[in-house]
């Protein structure tokens, strides 16, 4: 059985994520994408209101990125343990011969 202290970074990233954190991750990715789109529009010379520019430069992409990373690193241990149990059903441990 895996717990919080026995899971590595790669396992943590690829492990199942709880539903609420999946939603938070998706919102974070959307915020970062909208921020990048606003910056791309400004690079083309189109003027946007100052508040939109300020939010896209600083707050939106930083908060979106942080939310996405933190949400992805959370692990649904119940789902992970059941997934590991299902994958090990057909695997019979080999006896050591001395």
């Amino acid at each position: 059985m895996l717990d919080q202290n026995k899971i590595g970074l790669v396992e943590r990233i690829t492990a199942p994520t709880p539903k609420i954190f999946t939603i938070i991750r998706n919102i974070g990715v959307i915020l970062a994408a909208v921020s990048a789109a606003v910056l791309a529009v400004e690079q083309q010379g189109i003027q946007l209101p100052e508040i939109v520019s300020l939010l896209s430069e600083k707050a939106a992409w930083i908060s979106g990125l942080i939310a996405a990373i933190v949400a992805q690193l959370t692990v649904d241990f119940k789902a992970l343990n059941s997934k590991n149990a299902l994958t090990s059903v057909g695997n019979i441990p080999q006896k050591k011969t001395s």
Side-chain angles (χ1 to χ4, degrees), residues 1 8 11-12 16 31-32 43 55 59 65 71 75 78 81 87 91:
M1 179 165 205
E11 291 172 315
R12 184 175 290 279
L31 275 174
Q43 291 291 325
L55 286 176
L65 221 52
V75 175
K78 184 177 180 182
N81 286 329
T87 58
N91 297 336

Side-chain angles (χ1 to χ4, degrees), residues 7-15 73:
I7 188 168
L9 184 62
V10 174
E11 291 172 315
R12 184 175 290 279
I13 290 173
T14 59
L73 292 177

Side-chain angles (χ1 to χ4, degrees), residues 10 16 29 33 41 52 57 65 75 85:
V10 174
V29 168
V41 166
V52 173
E57 283 180 14
L65 221 52
V75 175

Side-chain angles (χ1 to χ4, degrees), residues 20-48:
I20 186 69
F21 287 104
T22 303
I23 294 168
I24 292 170
R25 181 194 62 209
N26 293 342
I27 290 171
V29 168
I30 290 169
L31 275 174
V34 168
S35 175
V38 169
L39 290 174
V41 166
E42 287 180 344
Q43 291 291 325
Q44 297 297 320
I46 300 172
Q47 293 295 325
L48 295 174

